[in-house]
Amino acid sequence: MSVDLSQFIPSFLEESFEGLELMESSLLNLEQGDDETINSIFRAAHSIKGGAGTFGFEHVTEFTHLVETLLDEMRDGRREIQPNDVELLLVSVDCMRMMIEAIRDEGDYEQSKIDDTYKLLEIALNQNNDTSTPTESPDDSKDKQSSNATWIIEFIPEHHLVQTGNDPILLFNALADLGEVTANANCKELPAITDIDPEELYLSWELTLKSSWATEQDIKEVFEWVEDECQLIIRQDSKLAQDGEVKQEVEQQREEVSTVATSFEENKTPSIDVNEADKEPASAKSSKAKSEGGSIRVGVDKVDSLINLVGELVITQSMLSELGNDFNISKLERLTSGLEQLLQNTKELQESVMRIRMLPISFAFNRFPRLIHDLSKKTGKDIELVLKGEQTELDKTVMEQISDPLVHLVRNAVDHGIEPSDVRVANGKPKKGTIILDAYHQGGSIVIEIRDDGGGINREAVYRKAVEKGIIDESTTLSDSQVFELIFEPGFSTAKEISDISGRGVGMDVVKRNIQALGGRIQVESEPNVGSTFRVNLPLTLAILDGQLVRVGNETYIIPLITIVESLQVKPELINRVSGDMVLYRLREDNVPVIPIFKLFSLSAEHESVENSLLVVVEAEGLKVGLMVDDLLAQQQVVIKSLKDNYHDVDGISGATILGDGSVAMILDVPGIIQMAIGRKMQIGVRQMMSSIEGVEA
Amino acid sequence: MDIQTLAAEIPDADQTVIEEIDFISNGKQFLMFNLGKELYAVDILCVEEIRSWEEPTKIPNAPSYVKGVINIRGLIVPIIDFRLKFDVCAAEYIDSTVVMVLTIETDEATKTMGFVVDAVSDVIDVQDDDIRADAGFVGSIPQENVQGLVNVNERVVTLLNVPALQHVDV
């Protein structure tokens, strides 16, 4: 029977990534004598190794085996947990991730880094235990040729072997397929009958296998699934003499390894830096790959509640169809209540389905402990990371896209926010800096805060820089928050030196753009010597939005509720016409530019002059504008459908939705509309200029 | 009416008489339609459905031949008027005006689009050998959209190349 294993590869990859994440976060929290944590790291490594072996990813298996051996020594208490080892394990996790990513993307990986780490691992293992033979050597090929040989296998299982679902009998049967087997049981460890735990295994065996073709590899394969739960010694009767030779070879290898290792130590820092620099495009690529396919792991409770709801829906449906069989007016009341129930069911069903896409934000937060660990090492700053609200749920797509901007913000907090320890002490602050990542729900959106207790944003420096870069005019007076907004301008960076952590001057504007692309916004607050807070506001999901339906002429449009500041009836005395074509509306202190949607979309409207129409005041990118509409209709949740699937993107429209009557309505893209209006003004300006030039010429 | 009675009305498979279906060995079936006085045809396997004309939702600032979008079972489908796009004849929207919904499959993507035509007439069998190249044919329809010409009785039918319609909305 052959099974197509390739269909399981995606789930292997997914599990491996989860395992790696677990290993990473556990390693960062690892303390001496913390058995439970080591065990969980070990288990993760072990299942990656097992999986990789099953699918024939030899390089992963081989590498992970070393990691596992090292962990095993720690687990058994044969090895002290030292910072160096933890660091090495973290680098190994990176290597494993690199290899597994390469499998996923069918791409290449840096073989040299793997080799270097591999050798470091071997050294670490040899240092600890000089007498132990260095793990199965990568090429077993020399064992492959064999004559009619006799193998002696000592199989000493741990007592709990049978509890993990393994049965020695089955192993022996499998062994018997290789040749003639004799088994001798050793009952030395058998306790007195009163002390016997019937679920434990007290026996060990010495097996003799006579086979003309079996190799050591074949025998190992038989024991593959139990090799961590037993002591296994395999030796060939006739070949005992060779042991000495092997040992010598090992000595030689060890020498080679140590020379390589020293050269690797020297290269270590730069090679990691290259990796950091490359990280961003790589992760962008991976998130793209993810959004195309991918799967979601959903809690059983969520699925159960979905099934319950579907059950209720079916009941309501059958009730309604029965009602419809012979309907008369006396049953109207039952029909209404039935329809109400249907409404309730659909609503709940919708919510449950949406919940399936929701994941706790810890998925995005998990990478930060490692990031802070690495960054604080690199910058020499002592930093503590506090994660709050990790259980706050967020749509999977939003989560994938917010991850990179968050990384950037955290890097910024480390690099620009937290001061070096001596400065902190001089300013009367604790030596250790704190960065807090906090997520919570607020209304229909999720808020993620990145707070640091650093020096705060230097208002003066930002202002000067902005003037220098020509972003603002020297004469402009700005409020604090307006100054802080400047850091999101393209090409703005106040870092005195460009470091590899941040400060390339591309970043904050990209962060802002990414967040806006998700329909969110970012604010910054800062106080000198107290710290800064970046607050990211995101919609919970990209699939549904709360919208205000408006009518323009014969068309219905939807304005996202999150952008609306207020809606008002125009008072003619508050209208000002300035600089030619522009209409401003006085809204308390502000002058709000009016954008006539009908003009922008080349439609005809009922109210084509500002005086009689309604204004919906919306805000985007820090700008307030009034959208001119004919009528305000209902407010409702709408499901966002892409126009791009069958058509292409349209300026000023972010998508479409299907209304209750089955018709399609367009959803307005408020930032896009503002851009369009600005562009249009410019076009008109250019046209006027052109015509004036022509006039002069004539 | 319950499902059992419905099922009883469905004739058994071996009782069904296969007739009026021509099996053609070396060619395809095409759906023929009218644009004004001209005849066109598309590969019938690309035709998703045929609907009567309904006023679609307008797309802001779209070209005149893009009439808007409609909802087909939850899909947002753009409606393109062949008559305007290919500049074949005047576009009237009357009771007999129909929308042909095509699935356009290419390596890049699969799109569903609706095309307004004056009438859908017939299904024709076309052998590969019967398709003539449109050498020297210069009409208002871009060359890449035309697969070839075929004679049907006294008339000439233009076969449209469906995959090339992918970018017809631009």
Side-chain angles (χ1 to χ4, degrees):
Chain A
M1 189 185 72
S2 80
V3 181
D4 180 16
L5 282 177
S6 63
Q7 58 176 316
F8 301 114
I9 290 181
S11 38
F12 158 68
L13 292 174
E14 210 166 291
E15 280 178 23
S16 301
F17 285 125
E18 278 172 25
L20 288 171
E21 250 169 53
L22 181 85
M23 285 173 75
E24 193 168 68
S25 59
S26 309
L27 279 170
L28 290 169
N29 294 324
L30 192 59
E31 281 159 27
Q32 201 68 40
D34 184 358
D35 288 342
E36 194 33 57
T37 315
I38 298 184
N39 272 330
S40 68
I41 301 171
F42 180 83
R43 276 195 297 271
H46 185 61
S47 43
I48 292 172
K49 184 180 111 175
T54 312
F55 295 109
F57 301 127
E58 300 284 338
H59 53 298
V60 181
T61 323
E62 209 179 284
F63 188 89
T64 316
H65 182 79
L66 276 193
V67 176
E68 199 191 76
T69 317
L70 189 69
L71 285 165
D72 195 33
E73 287 182 2
M74 289 183 176
R75 186 172 68 157
D76 294 351
R78 273 182 281 148
R79 189 184 192 85
E80 297 268 292
I81 298 167
Q82 283 160 349
N84 280 349
D85 290 341
V86 173
E87 205 58 37
L88 179 60
L89 284 170
L90 281 172
V91 176
S92 311
V93 169
D94 287 344
C95 290
M96 284 157 71
R97 181 173 291 136
M98 190 160 77
M99 287 191 276
I100 293 169
E101 271 171 3
I103 294 169
R104 181 191 62 193
D105 304 338
E106 291 168 9
D108 290 331
Y109 55 88
E110 264 180 89
Q111 185 62 49
S112 59
K113 194 180 171 192
I114 308 283
D115 290 343
D116 292 347
T117 318
Y118 191 89
K119 278 166 189 155
L120 279 181
L121 279 169
E122 279 185 335
I123 294 166
L125 284 169
N126 290 338
Q127 271 171 355
N128 194 44
N129 191 355
D130 268 358
T131 50
S132 73
T133 34
T135 57
E136 53 190 290
S137 58
D139 54 332
D140 287 315
S141 55
K142 62 173 187 275
D143 295 327
K144 288 248 157 88
Q145 21 61 307
S146 54
S147 53
N148 199 346
T150 308
W151 295 90
I152 297 181
I153 304 152
E154 282 179 49
F155 175 54
I156 309 165
E158 286 179 20
H159 289 182
H160 60 80
L161 183 85
V162 284
Q163 288 171 6
T164 55
N166 292 301
D167 189 345
I169 290 289
L170 297 177
L171 294 170
F172 299 162
N173 282 341
L175 205 58
D177 290 343
L178 300 177
E180 193 187 316
V181 177
T182 25
N184 284 318
N186 181 347
C187 337
K188 263 189 293 183
E189 295 208 13
L190 208 60
I193 190 102
T194 46
D195 298 333
I196 283 187
D197 179 342
E199 292 186 346
E200 300 265 276
L201 177 65
Y202 299 99
L203 299 176
S204 57
W205 287 269
E206 191 179 283
L207 300 146
T208 325
L209 171 69
K210 280 196 189 124
S211 169
S212 56
W213 53 274
T215 63
E216 188 174 343
Q217 193 63 36
D218 293 330
I219 300 171
K220 271 193 182 146
E221 242 162 54
V222 171
F223 291 99
E224 192 170 354
W225 294 104
V226 294
E227 66 179 335
D228 297 302
E229 291 162 53
C230 69
Q231 279 180 48
L232 191 64
I233 300 162
I234 303 170
R235 63 173 191 270
Q236 202 169 355
D237 227 7
S238 56
K239 271 197 184 173
L240 282 167
Q242 270 190 6
D243 269 9
E245 248 172 76
V246 172
K247 219 163 230 171
Q248 210 172 348
E249 205 176 295
V250 167
E251 283 304 321
Q252 213 169 346
Q253 261 182 2
R254 196 172 298 159
E255 246 162 69
E256 267 170 48
V257 161
S258 53
T259 47
V260 172
T262 34
S263 69
F264 176 57
E265 280 298 338
E266 283 159 21
N267 286 333
K268 197 172 176 184
T269 340
S271 81
I272 285 175
D273 282 350
V274 168
N275 195 32
E276 293 278 332
D278 288 345
K279 216 168 211 168
E280 266 160 60
S283 59
K285 185 176 132 210
S286 69
S287 70
K288 195 177 284 174
K290 255 184 248 160
S291 61
E292 276 164 17
S295 60
I296 299 184
R297 210 171 262 218
V298 182
V300 179
D301 56 327
K302 286 182 179 176
V303 178
D304 282 347
S305 84
L306 206 57
I307 290 169
N308 285 339
L309 284 170
V310 172
E312 276 177 46
L313 194 65
V314 170
I315 293 167
T316 314
Q317 184 270 332
S318 65
M319 193 262 272
L320 282 174
S321 66
E322 195 185 310
L323 205 60
N325 269 347
D326 63 324
F327 184 75
N328 59 52
I329 200 70
S330 65
K331 291 179 180 168
L332 187 64
E333 202 170 316
R334 277 183 62 202
L335 178 68
T336 335
S337 76
L339 287 174
E340 246 163 51
Q341 207 175 321
L342 186 66
L343 177 79
Q344 193 62 30
N345 289 155
T346 355
K347 226 182 204 167
E348 281 173 16
L349 194 61
Q350 183 198 337
E351 276 169 20
S352 307
V353 171
M354 293 317 298
R355 264 209 300 277
I356 285 189
R357 286 192 58 88
M358 299 296 223
L359 294 173
I361 197 150
S362 53
F363 279 82
F365 278 3
N366 275 346
R367 62 201 277 193
F368 290 112
R370 175 71 195 278
L371 186 73
I372 295 287
H373 173 89
D374 288 357
L375 289 181
S376 58
K377 259 188 88 133
K378 202 178 288 177
T379 56
K381 294 174 183 176
D382 198 3
I383 297 165
E384 187 186 4
L385 178 73
V386 181
L387 299 177
K388 285 184 180 172
E390 289 156 277
Q391 289 310 310
T392 317
E393 290 196 326
L394 182 63
D395 186 277
K396 186 169 182 273
T397 323
V398 182
M399 178 113 62
E400 276 162 8
Q401 313 219 3
I402 198 60
S403 225
D404 287 341
L406 282 184
V407 168
H408 201 94
L409 289 172
V410 171
R411 281 163 167 261
N412 250 323
V414 173
D415 208 30
H416 301 314
I418 305 286
E419 319 92 319
S421 307
D422 45 341
V423 179
R424 289 183 65 88
V425 174
N427 287 338
K429 289 204 262 188
K431 193 165 152 246
K432 201 171 203 175
T434 310
I435 292 176
I436 301 172
L437 276 175
D438 191 2
Y440 53 90
H441 285 295
Q442 195 178 60
S445 55
I446 182 169
V447 181
I448 305 168
E449 284 186 358
I450 299 99
R451 289 199 292 272
D452 65 65
D453 66 345
I457 299 175
N458 185 338
R459 188 189 188 283
E460 272 312 299
V462 170
Y463 188 78
R464 268 202 314 278
K465 190 80 171 199
V467 174
E468 202 178 294
K469 297 247 170 186
I471 297 169
I472 51 164
D473 204 36
E474 202 161 345
S475 55
T476 338
T477 43
L478 294 172
S479 68
D480 279 1
S481 64
Q482 277 170 318
V483 172
F484 297 152
E485 283 287 311
L486 289 173
I487 62 172
F488 297 112
E489 291 293 325
F492 189 93
S493 172
T494 58
K496 290 185 197 80
E497 279 169 50
I498 288 179
S499 68
D500 65 334
I501 299 177
S502 60
R504 287 191 200 85
V506 289
M508 289 311 259
D509 62 316
V510 178
V511 167
K512 187 173 181 182
R513 211 144 9 109
N514 285 351
I515 290 168
Q516 275 173 350
L518 289 171
R521 53 175 197 271
I522 179 164
Q523 290 167 307
V524 52
E525 281 165 23
S526 182
E527 214 174 305
N529 208 23
V530 175
S532 318
T533 301
F534 287 85
R535 192 169 293 122
V536 180
N537 226 302
L538 289 171
L540 279 182
T541 163
L542 297 179
I544 287 192
L545 104 155
D546 283 309
Q548 167 73 55
L549 272 61
V550 299
R551 186 172 60 81
V552 179
N554 294 323
E555 303 291 318
T556 306
Y557 290 103
I558 291 152
I559 303 176
L561 218 49
I562 192 168
T563 62
I564 298 182
V565 181
E566 62 181 290
S567 306
L568 48 94
Q569 180 82 47
V570 170
K571 290 198 181 107
E573 64 272 20
L574 296 177
I575 298 169
N576 289 297
R577 281 168 212 279
V578 293
S579 17
D581 201 25
M582 207 147 68
V583 179
L584 291 181
Y585 189 80
R586 172 66 63 85
L587 182 69
R588 292 178 289 277
E589 300 302 302
D590 293 337
N591 279 315
V592 180
V594 173
I595 299 178
I597 293 182
F598 76 93
K599 229 187 235 174
L600 210 58
F601 286 173
S602 330
L603 301 165
S604 57
E606 200 178 308
H607 305 290
E608 300 207 342
S609 72
V610 192
E611 280 75 8
N612 304 316
S613 66
L614 288 167
L615 271 193
V616 179
V617 180
V618 293
E619 188 172 9
E621 308 194 5
L623 262 168
K624 264 187 208 161
V625 297
L627 300 179
M628 226 172 96
V629 302
D630 284 341
D631 205 354
L632 287 176
L633 308 169
Q635 271 180 17
Q636 68 178 66
Q637 281 201 330
V638 296
V639 178
I640 304 171
K641 305 242 173 191
S642 158
L643 273 179
K644 218 160 85 180
D645 288 350
N646 294 315
Y647 191 60
H648 49 77
D649 283 331
V650 179
D651 282 345
I653 301 292
S654 63
T657 191
I658 294 162
L659 298 179
D661 62 355
S663 66
V664 180
M666 302 279 167
I667 302 165
L668 298 186
D669 166 24
V670 174
I673 283 182
I674 294 176
Q675 286 303 324
M676 271 172 91
I678 293 171
R680 204 183 172 84
K681 288 274 143 57
M682 277 169 64
Q683 273 176 11
I684 290 169
V686 170
R687 214 175 301 139
Q688 278 168 350
M689 215 165 70
M690 295 292 278
S691 58
S692 68
I693 293 168
E694 276 163 26
V696 171
E697 277 174 355
Chain B
M1 191 186 296
D2 67 1
I3 204 112
Q4 269 79 23
T5 41
L6 267 177
E9 281 172 21
I10 300 170
D12 287 344
D14 42 342
Q15 287 174 346
T16 315
V17 189
I18 299 173
E19 56 182 24
E20 290 171 23
I21 300 175
D22 299 323
F23 290 98
I24 39 174
S25 51
N26 185 23
K28 285 178 178 167
Q29 289 195 308
F30 283 78
L31 179 69
M32 205 155 68
F33 58 90
N34 300 56
L35 300 179
K37 291 197 169 92
E38 296 176 14
L39 282 176
Y40 292 83
V42 289
D43 185 347
I44 201 159
L45 294 179
C46 300
V47 181
E48 189 85 5
E49 64 176 273
I50 295 160
R51 319 166 55 95
S52 57
W53 164 258
E54 55 181 300
E55 190 69 47
T57 302
K58 288 196 185 69
I59 300 173
N61 300 322
S64 64
Y65 53 83
V66 178
K67 302 314 290 179
V69 287
I70 58 167
N71 159 27
I72 300 180
R73 291 180 296 276
L75 279 182
I76 307 281
V77 178
I79 303 295
I80 285 147
D81 196 323
F82 261 148
R83 301 166 299 184
L84 296 173
K85 171 68 190 174
F86 293 149
D87 209 7
V88 177
C89 61
E92 287 180 344
Y93 300 96
I94 50 173
D95 288 348
S96 64
T97 308
V98 290
V99 174
M100 217 167 48
V101 182
L102 303 184
T103 308
I104 302 167
E105 230 167 289
T106 60
D107 295 340
E108 299 164 48
T110 302
K111 286 184 173 188
T112 307
M113 289 186 181
F115 294 93
V116 185
V117 300
D118 280 321
V120 173
S121 50
D122 217 344
V123 177
I124 49 172
D125 298 331
V126 177
Q127 304 288 334
D128 284 346
D129 306 343
D130 293 346
I131 303 176
R132 293 164 205 193
D134 50 347
F137 174 86
V138 183
S140 55
I141 302 179
Q143 289 288 304
E144 74 265 20
N145 288 331
V146 179
Q147 191 182 341
L149 302 175
V150 65
N151 288 350
V152 176
N153 303 328
E154 279 82 54
R155 307 285 303 271
V156 180
V157 177
T158 313
L159 301 183
L160 293 180
N161 178 10
V162 175
L165 293 172
Q166 160 112 320
H167 298 294
V168 82
D169 55 344
V170 193

